[in-house]
Amino acid sequence: MHRALITAVAAAALSSPYAAHAFTRDTLVHKKCAGCHAPDAEGKIARVEEIRTTPEEWTVIVDRMRRLHGMPLTKAEMDRLLKELCTTQILTPEEQARVSYLSLFHNSQVMEDPADKGEERLFVTCVRCHTAGKIRSYRMTAASWAKLRDFHLWFDPAIVYQMREMHWLEEAAAVLQELPSRYGYGQAFTAPKAALAGQWTIVGYEPGKGRYQGDAEVKGGADGEYTLRGQLRYSDRTTESFEGEATLYGGYALRTRTHHGKAETHGAYIVTGAEMTGENHFPAPRFRTSSATWIRKDAGPRVARVSPAFLLSGEKTTLTVEGVGLPAVTAADVAFTGGPVKVLSAKRAGPGTIELQVVASARAPGRSKLSVKGLDAGAVSLAPAIDFISVTPTMGRARLSAGARYPAEGVQFEAIAYARAKPSAAAAAPAAFTPDPASDLALGPVPAKFTLAEEKTREGDDDLRYVGKISASGSYVPHGDYRPVPARAYSVESSGLVKVLASYRRGSRTYDAEGQLAVTMPDFVPRIR
C-alpha cells in the first residue's frame, strides 16, 4: 500500500488548519442535517462533526436517516451529501487502508483477530453482529462512542436477550469506554487536491487467473467525477477492455463503476500522488476479485511489481520487473542485498518491463532487496525449497442466492507456498498444516489444482452432492439458491460444509493441502457487516 506515501498524505491532512466548523449554511450537509443535529455556538453540527468514517459507512448512516427518520433525499442529493461529508469527515488514507477489505461490500474472506488483549473484549461483545472492520472504520469523540450502546438498545431492544450469555449492558459500557483511546476522533480531515486525468499504467493480480498489465485513460475531474477507459493483458494471453465512471471522495478515496464487456464491476482505490492501489470486484456469476496498482505514465521511473515473488536455490528463474519509465540495464546495474542471488543477465523488454535471469543459493529462508540502476524494486523471498503449501482462506464462506437483490457470493481459494525457518525431517507437511507466522516464511501463490471432498460431520452427510463443484483454479460460486430442497433431510437448502483440496506439483514432488468451504445463507442485512 506504499505506507510511506499514505502516511505523508495523512500527516499533511491532520496538520492542516481546521475551521471552527466545516459546513456553512449554504452546504447541503447543513441544510439536511442541522434541523435535527443542532449546531453549537461555533456552528459545529452535533454528531456529524464528531465522526470520521469511510464513504461506505457514511452511505449507511445517511440512508438510515432517510429510512428511519424521514429525511427527504434524492439520489443526486445523496451523491452531493457524501462528497461534502468526505471533504472533512473521512478517515485518513492510512486509516482507510486498514479496513479497505470492506470497501466493496463484497464477500470478503479476511479473517479478523483481536489486535491485542485489549481487543478481546471488543470481539466478545461486538464482533458477533459486526465485523471488527466496521468498528475500526470509525473515529469518534468520546461523547459519540458513549451514545452507541443506547443507540443499539433503541434500534434492537432484544439485544439484551440475544446476548444473554453475558451482561451485555455492562460489557458494552466497558468496551465503549476503551474505544475513544483506540479510535478517537482526532481532527477533521482536509482533503488533498488530486489530479487523476491522464494516462495510467496498470499492474495487477487476479487469484485463480494470474498477473496482468494494462493501460488506462482517465478523463474529467469536475466535482470529483471521472470517466475511465482501458485494456488489460493477462499472463494467460487473454485480453479484456473496460470502460466506466469513478467518483473521488475526500481527495483520495476513488470508487469505480466499470463494465468489462457485459459484466459490471466495482473498484475501491486509495490515491497517493501519482499512484493508486486497491481492488476490483466482479459479482456472481462472473465472480472474480483482483488487486492492482495504477501509476501515472508521467510519474517518472517507478517499480510496481517484481514477479515471481520468490526464488528457490539452484533454480534458474526469469524475474520480471514492471513499472513506469524503467531504464535500460545490464547485469552490472542490478543488485540484491540480504540474500545470495546471482544475476546472469538483464535487459529492458519495454518501457515498463525489465527481465532478469537470476539464480539463488539460499541456505535458509529469507528476503533479499532488489535495486535496478539505483531504483528501489522491493524485495523477493528466498528459500532452499518449498516445504509445504497452505490453502487460503482456511475456511471460505460462500453465500447462496436469494434472488436478484441478494445474488450468490463466491470464494476464490489460493494455494500459498511456505518455507520453514527450521526445516522438518518429514518429507511433507500434513495436508491441514497451519502456517506459523512467527517462523514460517510465506513465499507466494502457486498454481495448484483444486477439488472438493466430503467433510463428514454426520451420518448420511450429503453436503458435497448439493454444494456443487469448484473450478480447477480454485473459484467457487454456489450452484443452488436459498430455498428448500425436498430431496434432502428436513428439506434443508443447498448449504453445507465440505473440504477444499489443493494439489501442486513442482519437479518430482507433489504438495497437498486442504481447507474448508462453508456454503451458507444470504447476507440479508449487509449494512451491519
Side-chain angles (χ1 to χ4, degrees):
M1 278 292 186
H2 301 279
R3 184 171 297 276
L5 286 171
I6 293 175
T7 303
V9 173
L14 289 179
S15 64
S16 299
Y18 172 49
H21 57 277
F23 305 106
T24 56
R25 290 181 178 274
D26 61 341
T27 61
L28 190 60
V29 171
H30 195 284
K31 293 173 182 177
K32 292 291 183 179
C33 305
C36 296
H37 300 278
D40 63 15
E42 296 180 333
K44 200 171 183 179
I45 301 176
R47 295 287 280 155
V48 174
E49 294 185 72
E50 298 171 6
I51 298 173
R52 291 188 296 108
T53 188
T54 66
E56 290 69 35
E57 286 302 311
W58 272 122
T59 302
V60 170
I61 293 170
V62 172
D63 186 59
R64 186 169 66 242
M65 299 301 111
R66 179 191 63 80
R67 289 184 297 105
L68 302 185
H69 301 290
M71 181 175 74
L73 195 70
T74 66
K75 182 182 183 304
E77 287 176 329
M78 168 66 98
D79 294 342
R80 165 52 48 198
L81 203 58
L82 292 177
K83 288 175 184 176
E84 287 187 3
L85 286 166
C86 289
T87 301
T88 56
Q89 308 307 121
I90 192 173
L91 297 183
T92 67
E94 188 171 46
E95 292 165 345
Q96 170 76 63
R98 294 171 185 155
V99 293
S100 60
Y101 57 91
L102 296 177
S103 296
L104 294 176
F105 277 118
H106 65 331
N107 190 33
S108 172
Q109 301 295 318
V110 171
M111 297 295 289
E112 299 176 321
D113 292 303
D116 50 40
K117 284 286 184 182
E119 270 202 338
E120 289 180 358
R121 196 172 195 175
L122 170 71
F123 270 63
V124 171
T125 308
C126 305
V127 187
R128 303 285 188 91
C129 301
H130 304 297
T131 61
K134 186 178 184 74
I135 300 162
R136 293 165 179 164
S137 293
Y138 282 81
R139 298 296 183 274
M140 297 199 291
T141 62
S144 288
W145 279 118
K147 295 178 187 292
L148 207 53
R149 186 191 68 167
D150 292 343
F151 165 78
H152 279 71
L153 288 173
W154 168 79
F155 197 79
D156 180 16
I159 193 171
V160 174
Y161 306 101
Q162 293 166 344
M163 307 289 278
R164 57 186 175 272
E165 78 277 15
M166 68 172 72
H167 296 290
W168 187 83
L169 288 173
E170 292 81 358
E171 289 296 318
V175 167
L176 291 173
Q177 285 183 346
E178 298 174 1
L179 289 180
S181 62
R182 287 182 177 271
Y183 306 114
Y185 178 78
Q187 291 180 270
F189 185 75
T190 300
K193 292 183 179 180
L196 304 188
Q199 302 293 323
W200 295 75
T201 289
I202 305 171
V203 177
Y205 173 71
E206 183 177 309
K209 187 171 175 64
R211 302 187 302 274
Y212 61 86
Q213 283 187 333
D215 302 287
E217 181 181 23
V218 179
K219 293 182 178 180
D223 198 29
E225 296 295 330
Y226 296 88
T227 60
L228 314 171
R229 181 187 296 270
Q231 186 176 60
L232 306 178
R233 300 174 295 278
Y234 287 82
S235 56
D236 64 3
R237 299 184 183 278
T238 60
T239 60
E240 201 167 81
S241 297
F242 66 90
E243 60 182 342
E245 303 171 336
T247 302
L248 186 67
Y249 297 100
Y252 79 86
L254 188 72
R255 302 296 183 257
T256 65
R257 304 167 297 280
T258 57
H259 286 83
H260 297 235
K262 294 182 179 180
E264 183 177 351
T265 73
H266 291 83
Y269 296 87
I270 292 176
V271 180
T272 51
E275 296 186 22
M276 49 187 173
T277 56
E279 286 189 332
N280 197 63
H281 177 64
F282 291 71
R286 287 191 62 194
F287 162 74
R288 294 157 52 192
T289 299
S290 67
S291 59
T293 297
W294 292 42
I295 304 177
R296 289 185 66 98
K297 289 184 180 291
D298 58 3
R302 296 192 184 209
V303 173
R305 175 177 64 196
V306 177
S307 55
F310 64 92
L311 302 174
L312 302 181
S313 291
E315 290 189 0
K316 183 178 178 181
T317 304
T318 299
L319 274 182
T320 303
V321 181
E322 298 165 278
V324 169
L326 300 182
V329 295
T330 65
D333 298 319
V334 181
F336 285 88
T337 56
V341 180
K342 183 178 181 180
V343 181
L344 305 178
S345 66
K347 67 176 182 179
R348 187 173 70 162
T353 306
I354 293 174
E355 290 183 354
L356 310 176
Q357 291 287 328
V358 301
V359 61
S361 54
R363 295 184 178 181
R367 299 275 285 168
S368 184
K369 293 182 179 180
L370 169 62
S371 65
V372 180
K373 224 169 189 177
L375 186 64
D376 182 8
V380 293
S381 296
L382 309 179
I386 294 173
D387 288 309
F388 64 95
I389 64 172
S390 179
V391 172
T392 183
T394 306
M395 176 182 280
R397 178 190 62 249
R399 294 188 180 275
L400 295 165
S401 167
R405 294 190 62 184
Y406 302 98
E409 296 182 292
V411 183
Q412 176 64 58
F413 290 92
E414 275 197 293
I416 307 298
Y418 282 84
R420 292 196 185 99
K422 297 179 179 179
S424 168
F433 188 85
T434 301
D436 181 354
S439 60
D440 297 323
L441 177 64
L443 300 176
V446 292
K449 302 298 183 184
F450 288 85
T451 55
L452 298 180
E454 191 70 78
E455 177 75 272
K456 190 171 177 60
T457 59
R458 64 187 186 279
E459 287 298 319
D461 195 329
D462 60 353
D463 292 351
L464 182 63
R465 176 181 173 185
Y466 290 96
V467 302
K469 295 183 179 181
I470 192 172
S471 74
S473 60
S475 180
Y476 174 82
V477 178
H479 294 243
D481 53 18
Y482 191 56
R483 68 176 66 186
V485 179
R488 299 192 76 180
Y490 309 108
S491 297
V492 70
E493 66 284 341
S494 299
S495 59
L497 177 68
V498 295
K499 291 180 181 179
V500 178
L501 307 180
S503 183
Y504 170 62
R505 186 170 183 81
R506 192 181 185 104
S508 61
R509 185 172 173 182
T510 298
Y511 300 84
D512 296 304
E514 69 178 51
Q516 291 180 309
L517 166 65
V519 183
T520 186
M521 64 182 291
D523 185 357
F524 289 112
V525 194
R527 62 179 175 271
I528 73 167
R529 284 184 184 175

